[in-house]
Amino acid sequence: MTEMMAKWDVKVLGGLGGVLLALAAVFLWRDLHMPVEALLILAAVATLALGFLAVPRGGLLIFPIAVLATSVTGGLWYAATKQPLLLVGLALTFIASVIMLPRSLRRGDTQLERIRDVLVWFGLTAATIATSWTFYFHFLTLGVAEDHIARRLVLTLGWLVIGVVLVFLGRKRGAPVIRDAGFCFVAISVGKTLLYDTAHLDGSLRVAGLAAAGALMLGTAWLSARSTPATPRSS
């Protein structure tokens, strides 16, 4: 009975706290004339706070869902408006996505924990891609820092390297969700190579970028083949 009352106390107090924070965000924007982009910062701060709270077992998915939703929302919002204030919210969301990783490294056996692990790793993927792309675009494309044509390959190769590392980490730990997150990075970097880099690079840089990406993929395939144990033949 006492445990049930404690659970209801957590739900009631947590729900009221969330409602009050939402009202504070609305009035912060309306009464103090804060830019609407500040709402993403508030959402990121609330998400970051969830990482330090001990939530009941039924609330295992709240934190990773918040990270995933804030990452996707922030990335699409920046793509539509190019407002630099959104970078703050995305940076905080990326920090939150890193904080939640240790929870997934403690592998669970229940269905709820497996769903949590999927959301954790894909939340990290979304946060990393959204944050790295927006900072790259703001500082190297909009002229805040000097733009050089060779730097356009940095993001592609960076995503590709992260993807390869996660694929090998997932294979080593026997965690398909980590491997799948790595393949997401690989797929996005290959898509950027084919759809963007080949159109915006020319001459030796285009050749170098395609060759580097191709060599990395072939090297990964070769190492994967060598690390795969041979299946014994049946007599």
Side-chain angles (χ1 to χ4, degrees), residues 37-56:
E37 291 79 16
L39 293 178
L40 184 68
I41 299 178
L42 291 176
V45 170
T47 301
L48 194 58
L50 285 173
F52 297 98
L53 295 178
V55 296

Side-chain angles (χ1 to χ4, degrees), residues 48-74:
L48 194 58
L50 285 173
F52 297 98
L53 295 178
V55 296
R57 187 175 184 81
L60 283 176
L61 306 183
I62 295 177
F63 185 29
I65 288 176
V67 170
L68 184 59
T70 308
S71 302
V72 174
T73 301

